[in-house]
Amino acid sequence: MSGPLAGVRVLEIASLAPAPFGTMLLADLGADVLRVDRAGSSAAITPPPGPLDRGKRSLALDLKSPEGLASVKELAADADVFVEGFRPGVAERIGIGPDELCVLNPRLIYARMTGWGQEGPLAPTAGHDINYIALAGLLEPIARRGERPLPPSNLLGDFAGGGMLMALGILAALVERNTSGQGQVIDAAMVDGASTFSAFMRGMHAVGLWNEEPGTNALDGAAAFYDTYPCADGKYVAVGCVEPQFFAELVEKLGLDEPDLPFQLDPTGWDDWRAVIGKAFLARSRDEWTAHFDGSDACVTPVLTPWEAHLHPHAVARASFVEVDGVVQPAPAPRFSRTPAGTPRAHSPSTGGTPGGTHWVR
């Protein structure tokens, strides 16, 4: 693989969702990611095939056997990064904890991906994305006024607060290692990562610009200028014209004449503006409005399904999606001027490990 991480060797113990997403990002940027699939186990620990395993190679090893354990240690001794997603203490019981592997390889960056972190009263307990973002204070605000919180799939905890920030931590540790020559252990907890995304909200709240109640704030669906609207065909457009000049363009493009309504930032007028704007959008289909607002600064875009997004002209022009092994998926991001990432390749299927003969491909 080409990319800014070419030559970086990442050894990943198979797990589900967050850690594989983080190592996918590393593979996208050129790292050589070798995933250890745990042979002989009945647990569902091998990720389903698809984009999360793109660009990776895998090796099937029995971690409970002396031979499999020796192979993992041999690989870790020559790796730059080791990634595991066990509950706290499991890696140590297997014999591949930081104390074992970092002695073999003092330059090793050992990344630990968990929901609750390596310590704390919840550390040994089970959980999922919805639990982590609930405790981080991110789930409660995702609601319309007077309605229950709505889980945003598993995007905030697993992928944004989990795999993405784990990958960021790994990159930071790689940079620091250039100075110190030493590796270190990264405690990547989804509850911590999710908490970081509340920074803007907390700042707004501190100065009185974000209320306690969900669905009553400018950016959580209360304001008419920052919301979604149904169209004549039952599909939706997204409106995000926060600045007055952009809101004025929305009003002009919709052909509205409402001189008696309050200034757009006045909350007392939001419901009235929403009624007027909503009625206007019901006159045409989503795609007709998309064409009508094309090239304008009114900040109106179609709400696309994941299966439509790759067909939008902007995505096509930027080659924002690629097809790998018959599956359309996001292209590597971000983009680099001097060391661009290549097109991801399909995952190389698992093979049985050869005790004592495991090595990295040079």
Side-chain angles (χ1 to χ4, degrees):
M1 289 286 289
S2 59
L5 295 183
V8 174
R9 296 184 294 271
V10 179
L11 183 61
E12 172 190 3
I13 304 299
S15 59
L16 297 176
F21 175 68
T23 54
M24 181 203 81
L25 298 176
L26 301 179
D28 282 352
L29 300 184
D32 179 9
V33 179
L34 177 59
R35 189 183 74 210
V36 174
D37 294 334
R38 285 172 276 168
S41 173
S42 60
I45 50 178
T46 300
L52 293 187
D53 64 7
R54 71 189 189 188
K56 302 178 185 179
R57 298 179 294 118
S58 63
L59 182 69
L61 295 172
D62 182 359
L63 299 184
K64 295 182 179 180
S65 73
E67 295 84 3
L69 186 60
S71 293
V72 169
K73 290 183 175 181
E74 182 180 343
L75 287 163
D78 201 26
D80 296 291
V81 179
F82 181 86
V83 176
E84 56 96 343
F86 297 113
R87 290 201 204 188
V90 173
E92 284 81 355
R93 290 198 296 272
I94 294 174
I96 54 173
D99 290 344
E100 291 85 5
L101 299 190
C102 294
V103 168
L104 297 173
N105 181 0
R107 291 176 54 84
L108 183 67
I109 293 161
Y110 191 115
R112 320 194 77 168
M113 182 79 262
T114 61
W116 302 116
Q118 295 298 311
E119 67 277 325
L122 294 176
T125 66
H128 285 291
D129 184 294
I130 190 171
N131 307 118
Y132 310 136
I133 68 172
L135 205 69
L138 282 194
L139 180 59
E140 191 264 357
I142 305 176
R144 292 287 186 180
R145 181 169 47 192
E147 297 183 6
R148 63 180 180 175
L150 181 65
S153 184
N154 62 332
L155 301 176
L156 281 176
D158 281 355
F159 299 118
M164 176 72 76
L165 285 190
M166 181 195 75
L168 176 63
I170 289 170
L171 297 179
L174 285 170
V175 171
E176 192 280 336
R177 193 180 68 176
N178 289 334
T179 301
S180 68
Q182 297 293 306
Q184 57 184 305
V185 179
I186 299 171
D187 178 359
M190 285 174 261
V191 67
D192 296 341
S195 296
T196 67
F197 296 107
S198 68
F200 174 76
M201 184 189 309
R202 289 175 178 275
M204 296 281 282
H205 177 70
V207 295
L209 295 178
W210 198 291
N211 300 322
E212 297 286 353
E213 185 181 358
T216 62
N217 308 285
L219 301 183
D220 64 3
F225 55 79
Y226 203 86
D227 206 350
T228 59
Y229 290 91
C231 302
D233 56 355
K235 298 180 181 180
Y236 292 82
V237 292
V239 173
C241 46
V242 178
E243 294 81 0
Q245 67 272 26
F246 300 153
F247 184 76
E249 186 158 350
L250 170 74
V251 170
E252 186 274 327
K253 294 288 286 184
L254 288 177
L256 302 178
D257 182 15
E258 303 293 340
D260 296 329
L261 287 183
F263 178 56
Q264 73 161 105
L265 298 179
D266 182 351
T268 64
W270 286 351
D271 287 343
D272 292 334
W273 271 117
R274 175 176 285 100
V276 171
I277 294 170
K279 181 179 179 180
F281 274 119
L282 286 173
R284 303 185 191 181
S285 70
R286 182 197 68 179
D287 292 346
E288 288 173 330
W289 284 120
T290 299
H292 181 73
F293 282 97
D294 184 40
S296 84
D297 279 344
C299 305
V300 175
T301 52
V303 177
L304 302 177
T305 70
W307 332 123
E308 295 177 295
H310 64 282
L311 301 173
H312 190 275
H314 189 77
V316 172
R318 287 183 57 79
S320 298
F321 292 83
V322 296
E323 184 173 323
V324 180
D325 206 20
V327 179
V328 176
Q329 51 197 269
R335 305 181 183 200
F336 297 81
S337 64
R338 192 169 49 80
T339 57
T343 300
R345 65 178 187 272
H347 163 248
S348 300
S350 298
T351 58
T354 302
T358 307
H359 62 277
W360 291 94
V361 176
R362 300 289 184 178

